[in-house]
Amino acid sequence: MLAVNEDDVSHTVTVWTIQREKLAVANTVDVASKETSQLGQMPWKSGQYRVTVQLDGDVVLAREFRSDEWFNQLDVFIDSDGSVELNRARAA
């Protein structure tokens, strides 16, 4: 899991990821403008996921999803306007 900051200012990102009812990743990182920081590693498992993201102390994203298809990328993107998105994908 990565925190990718496309904004012009640095941010503090906190993430909690629950995977199949167990805490898989809980971490806080400072991410400079236009930089990337690693939040943690989480091997994929089929099942239910819950992801909560705080940006500079405020909860900005809380998402639940079920995954039966393999993925190896679950990243937090901070856009240039400061909004936050969750990116789930397959990277090479």
Side-chain angles (χ1 to χ4, degrees):
M1 292 187 75
L2 300 175
V4 180
N5 186 4
E6 296 295 325
D7 202 356
D8 290 331
V9 297
S10 62
H11 290 285
T12 300
V13 177
T14 301
V15 67
W16 296 275
T17 303
I18 307 293
Q19 183 183 42
R20 298 167 78 184
E21 300 303 321
K22 293 185 180 180
L23 183 63
V25 175
N27 197 12
T28 299
V29 295
D30 291 319
V31 187
S33 173
K34 310 296 185 197
E35 295 291 329
T36 301
S37 293
Q38 185 167 340
L39 289 163
Q41 294 185 359
M42 179 182 64
W44 176 83
K45 295 179 184 174
S46 176
Q48 192 71 23
Y49 289 76
R50 282 185 304 206
V51 180
T52 304
V53 178
Q54 279 186 345
L55 185 66
D56 302 325
D58 296 320
V59 173
V60 294
L61 187 137
R63 178 128 339 120
E64 289 189 40
F65 63 91
R66 178 169 181 79
S67 177
D68 294 319
E69 292 187 32
W70 175 85
F71 62 88
N72 65 350
Q73 183 176 335
L74 186 61
D75 300 331
V76 176
F77 275 84
I78 305 163
D79 291 327
S80 58
D81 64 358
S83 63
V84 175
E85 299 176 24
L86 190 63
N87 181 37
R88 175 175 43 137
R90 294 180 187 185

